[in-house]
Amino acid sequence: MKRIIYIIFAGLCFTSCSKDIQTQLSEDVLNEEYINLEGDSVSFQEMLSEHKGKQIVIDVWASWCRDCIVGLPELKALQAEKSDAVYLFLSADRNIETWKRTIEKYNIEGVHYFMPNGTKGQLGEFIDIDWIPRYLIVDSEGHIQLFEAIEADDPLIRKTLN
């Protein structure tokens, strides 16, 4: 009897605790506005359109996130190995000046945007951000190929990029 209850509980947890994996971004996400390094507002759709035809590695991060900073060497190794991909950094920082200083301090190369609503914006809700860093990969057609990775050296990132 205990075994049956355990199996039922495990099955319920597995089906109800897993996140929905999306392959298309919603209109709300695509229309959400971010701020580039020059201070201009840019929609998520504009960001993706600028790099249409290329694989895009999206890194949701923040300067206050220890795991984000500690993972930078692995991210830089990925960039060196997979240099044909676009690296799009979306910062959940609370302050634009801190965001900019951190990019400069750690020489984070890629395309950078500030998320005015942080992880509470449309993208954060859509992908259910519960941890950063958070990596996604969007293919050359604009479909999400990798929905969730939390470490730059996650083997799924390289597998998806190949």
Side-chain angles (χ1 to χ4, degrees), residues 40-151:
D40 301 321
S41 289
V42 180
S43 73
F44 200 74
Q45 178 64 56
E46 290 171 310
M47 286 183 227
L48 296 177
S49 294
E50 184 177 333
H51 305 290
K52 189 167 179 66
K54 294 187 174 192
Q55 286 183 308
I56 303 170
V57 177
I58 298 173
D59 180 354
V60 180
W61 73 290
S63 65
W64 48 261
C65 167
R66 181 182 184 283
D67 290 342
C68 299
I69 302 304
V70 169
L72 284 174
E74 287 86 10
L75 180 66
K76 289 180 181 197
L78 177 66
Q79 288 176 309
E81 183 182 331
K82 304 292 181 185
S83 60
D84 55 332
V86 172
Y87 293 84
L88 190 68
F89 294 88
L90 304 178
S91 173
D93 269 292
R94 296 174 183 102
N95 177 289
I96 289 178
E97 292 310 314
T98 303
W99 163 60
K100 288 180 179 182
R101 276 195 312 270
T102 306
I103 293 168
E104 188 174 324
K105 177 179 180 179
Y106 292 102
N107 192 30
I108 305 172
E109 295 184 18
V111 184
H112 295 274
Y113 294 93
F114 179 82
M115 304 167 68
N117 299 316
T119 59
K120 305 295 184 210
Q122 295 297 323
L123 178 66
E125 288 182 24
F126 182 80
I127 62 174
D128 191 24
I129 293 179
D130 56 2
W131 189 265
I132 58 173
R134 174 77 174 266
Y135 302 95
L136 296 95
I137 298 177
V138 176
D139 70 12
S140 59
E141 301 298 315
H143 301 103
I144 301 172
Q145 293 297 303
L146 179 63
F147 190 76
E148 177 177 22
I150 59 170
E151 295 179 356

